Amino acid sequence: MATTAARRREQAKAEHNAFVAACPSHKLLDRISDKWVTLVLAALGSGSAQRPGAGCAGEPRAMRYSELARLLAGVSQKMLTQTLRSLERDGLVTRTVVPTVPVTVSYELTGLGLSLYETIRGLKAWAEVHMDEVLAHRESYDARAV
């Protein structure tokens, strides 16, 4: 018969099984796999706002909302705001408001956000390096499917 401590350990494992739809880790993976979350974390982590397409060579730094909006082509104001709020709620980003005229708001990765950025940086780099190969496979597949 299992001890109470052993049952608690098993229950904790089950609670953090990302393959279970109701699991908190499943929901977290769903959130962080969103394209805008990935791109916001990559932007804040690489500090590449001055040079779109500069890659991941920069250092993490705080960025203003307007910098992020310019860098992330195609993101709507509503989606960027929702993404930043969700990242702040999860403790991945901090929001700093400076009472100037107009008000200055900047966003920066937290320690937790930086640890996730390290993983995302590799994924972003992989996508950029292998995009031509993926496009060639898509073209070949589409030609066969017709």
Side-chain angles (χ1 to χ4, degrees):
M1 182 170 226
T3 66
T4 303
R7 276 186 287 203
R8 274 187 263 157
R9 281 193 300 274
E10 284 302 313
Q11 184 178 1
K13 277 184 181 177
E15 289 173 1
H16 299 295
N17 180 348
F19 292 113
V20 176
C23 175
S25 59
H26 181 93
K27 293 174 183 178
L28 179 60
L29 283 173
D30 185 46
R31 174 165 303 161
I32 63 177
S33 64
D34 176 80
K35 76 175 179 179
W36 296 119
V37 168
T38 302
L39 292 172
V40 166
L41 291 174
L44 291 172
S46 66
S48 61
Q50 313 90 322
R51 302 180 329 263
C56 297
E59 292 294 317
R61 70 174 182 87
M63 294 175 69
R64 293 180 62 179
Y65 182 94
S66 59
E67 289 180 282
L68 286 166
R70 277 192 303 273
L71 183 63
L72 303 174
V75 70
S76 68
Q77 182 177 353
K78 178 183 177 183
M79 185 54 64
L80 182 55
T81 299
Q82 287 177 348
T83 300
L84 289 166
R85 284 183 183 159
S86 73
L87 290 171
E88 184 180 13
R89 181 174 184 246
D90 288 341
L92 300 171
V93 167
T94 58
R95 178 178 185 261
T96 304
V97 179
V98 178
T100 57
V101 178
V103 172
T104 303
V105 179
S106 64
Y107 297 87
E108 189 170 14
L109 294 176
T110 62
L112 187 60
L114 280 168
S115 69
L116 179 56
Y117 164 71
E118 291 302 321
T119 300
I120 287 175
R121 178 175 64 177
L123 184 61
K124 179 180 175 283
W126 183 92
E128 291 168 347
V129 166
H130 295 284
M131 197 62 235
D132 288 338
E133 191 177 348
V134 169
L135 290 173
H137 282 284
R138 286 180 183 174
E139 189 176 309
S140 174
Y141 179 90
D142 290 348
R144 287 191 319 256
V146 174

